[in-house]
Amino acid sequence: MRDNTLCVQHPHISRDGFASLAVPTYRASTIVYPDAQSFLDRKHRGPDGYTYGLHGTPTTRTLEAQISALHGAERTMLVPSGQAAVSMVFLGLLTPGDRVLIPDNVYPPVRNFCAEYLRPRGIAFAVYDPMIGAGIADLIDDRTRLVWVESPGSGTMEVQDLPAIAEAAHARGALVGIDNTWATGLLFKPLDHGADIVSEALTKYVGGHSDLLLGSISVRDLGIRKKIKDVLGMLGIGVSPDEAALALRGIETMAVRLAHMGRVSVDMARRLAASPLIEKVLHPALPSCPGHEVFLRDFKGASGLFSVVLKPAAAERLAAGMDALKVFAIGASWGGTRSLLAPQLIGQDRSVTPWPHKGPLLRISIGLEDPEDLWADLQHMLAVLAG
Ligand SMILES: *Cc1c(COP(=O)(O)O)cnc(C)c1O
């Protein structure tokens, strides 16, 4: 071979004896075939075979298998974000004329997706009270193909009765999907509690370091898997092996991070509950949170995200209080090593369950800092709020 050819052909080297604990990052668009016939037959490799980088590499498949193992799922599909993990389920399972039910506390971009993308294309949606439980039966008509659950719900943290909702939905022939980002497969396994589909933002606890975006969709039924996987292929949705590799690193420490963050979040929530400036603490592990009994029944423990509702009087000094924070950072997303705090406007996102509180809601994500530094920072903020 001449020099230019030598430049593009990597020499074969022995891998004998090389046993690393790390999962290699396999980058690929092209996948080559041993002969002409195997290339022509590539469609027969099926959704688990390797045919093209977009459809999976050993790196992404390893992460998929790991998420599946945590959930007791048959298969998991990776998508570029947690939002895509929800929207791709809807696009895979709903066609014009169908209807989907979403809870009133749903991650706001999901409501927007239903109103601004699905509805103009003939897919209807209706919003339900997240505490509805078996009462969901009354909302399921012949067109309802999917009941979406998010538990605990974004911002307001209601814990939904998934088994009751799933039983009612299945009795009427609807599928049930759930956004399980808060709990991860470590604290709640929705497929064991009636869900057909589990979506998660791996961006949060699996990634764990605020530096990647990734989502997962896990299922037991291979027919559901095929519908969603086909849509991913047709739309050209795949994920980078580099993101998957970061997530594979993150997931190794997820259990210890989550155990610590859960412990500290419960401790902080209890301490905050004693403040005269706080009207209500919304932490699934505390009795003040709607659905607390369901949390005790179904979940293995708490993660690190919760919310507090401030008294209306504290609202006018909220910006000054937040600006005084030195340990907490201000920002959206969560689940990383840095503790975060974000104000949320809840009233505007509600349509069937009016939000009873006048004061602002603060969402708190506990990170890995020393808990006493976090508490001192929160006390400092509360002192500014008190004026
Ligand atoms: C963050 C989040 C998402 C979206 O995840 P991205 O990766 O940021 O798109 C979806 N659902 C819930 C509950 C979330 O908290």
Side-chain angles (χ1 to χ4, degrees):
M1 297 291 176
R2 296 174 175 77
D3 280 356
N4 285 15
T5 306
L6 290 177
C7 282
V8 300
Q9 290 192 354
H10 299 295
H12 178 76
I13 54 141
S14 166
R15 293 182 192 188
D16 287 355
F18 180 76
S20 162
L21 290 172
V23 181
T25 303
Y26 289 101
R27 298 191 186 84
S29 53
T30 299
I31 285 162
V32 294
Y33 295 75
D35 49 50
Q37 195 56 44
S38 19
F39 181 74
L40 292 172
D41 289 345
R42 65 193 183 285
K43 287 257 178 316
H44 302 305
R45 292 186 171 191
D48 291 325
Y50 296 110
T51 52
Y52 190 55
L54 184 70
H55 309 310
T57 65
T59 309
T60 59
R61 294 280 162 84
T62 303
L63 180 59
E64 289 176 348
Q66 204 162 356
I67 305 280
S68 289
L70 275 179
H71 276 292
E74 275 302 318
R75 291 292 188 286
T76 292
M77 291 159 276
L78 295 178
V79 290
S81 69
Q83 171 68 2
V86 182
S87 65
M88 290 301 145
V89 171
F90 288 23
L91 290 179
L93 301 180
L94 302 169
T95 50
D98 290 345
R99 182 165 171 266
V100 57
L101 302 179
I102 58 171
D104 212 6
N105 56 4
V106 75
Y107 180 62
V110 171
R111 182 190 294 256
N112 203 38
F113 172 66
C114 290
E116 304 297 331
Y117 189 89
L118 294 182
R119 188 162 52 194
R121 288 163 179 79
I123 296 168
F125 77 104
V127 180
Y128 68 90
D129 175 353
M131 303 310 293
I132 198 166
I136 195 89
D138 298 336
L139 301 181
I140 302 175
D141 62 15
D142 291 345
R143 297 165 57 205
T144 307
R145 307 287 311 145
L146 177 67
V147 178
W148 192 249
V149 171
E150 184 180 319
S151 180
S154 275
T156 48
M157 311 302 291
E158 297 92 337
V159 186
Q160 295 194 244
D161 192 342
L162 174 65
I165 290 174
E167 197 186 329
H170 290 155
R172 286 167 179 251
L175 293 170
V176 177
I178 179 170
D179 186 330
N180 194 52
T181 300
W182 185 88
T184 80
L186 290 172
L187 302 176
F188 186 50
K189 299 186 194 296
L191 297 177
D192 290 340
H193 296 263
D196 302 291
I197 306 125
V198 181
S199 291
E200 286 179 357
L202 307 185
T203 306
K204 311 288 172 47
Y205 287 125
V206 170
H209 295 75
S210 312
D211 57 0
L212 68 90
L213 288 151
L214 213 55
S216 65
I217 304 167
S218 303
V219 298
R220 284 196 177 142
D221 183 293
L222 295 181
I224 298 176
R225 186 256 193 144
K226 182 171 178 354
K227 281 187 180 167
I228 299 171
K229 182 98 180 151
D230 284 352
V231 168
L232 293 176
M234 287 184 278
L235 294 182
I237 308 282
V239 307
S240 151
D242 292 283
E243 306 300 293
L246 283 172
L248 283 163
R249 168 181 284 223
I251 202 172
E252 291 188 25
T253 57
M254 180 167 73
V256 281
R257 285 187 281 110
L258 211 53
H260 173 84
M261 290 164 170
R263 231 175 6 250
V264 175
S265 80
V266 174
D267 180 37
M268 292 296 146
R270 290 214 173 100
R271 295 194 205 189
L272 287 168
S275 164
L277 294 167
I278 288 173
E279 188 164 297
K280 194 165 188 163
V281 176
L282 298 169
H283 190 306
L286 267 59
S288 51
C289 187
H292 170 67
E293 327 72 49
V294 175
F295 172 78
L296 292 180
R297 186 190 70 194
D298 293 348
F299 285 61
K300 287 206 192 111
S303 71
L305 185 82
F306 67 102
S307 296
V308 298
V309 181
L310 296 171
K311 294 248 174 80
E316 61 202 51
R317 283 182 294 273
L318 179 59
M322 291 183 64
D323 292 351
L325 292 165
K326 292 197 164 57
V327 183
F328 280 86
I330 299 169
S333 203
W334 45 274
T337 60
R338 291 286 305 275
S339 292
L340 295 178
L341 213 141
Q344 289 197 341
L345 298 170
I346 298 301
Q348 63 181 27
D349 286 329
R350 295 269 160 166
S351 56
V352 298
T353 50
W355 182 242
H357 305 287
K358 298 246 170 349
L361 180 139
L362 279 183
R363 200 180 65 176
I364 298 172
S365 171
I366 297 297
L368 295 179
E369 302 90 342
D370 189 289
E372 293 314 318
D373 285 336
L374 293 176
W375 179 238
D377 212 32
L378 289 173
Q379 275 184 307
H380 187 48
M381 179 185 74
L382 290 172
V384 175
L385 290 180

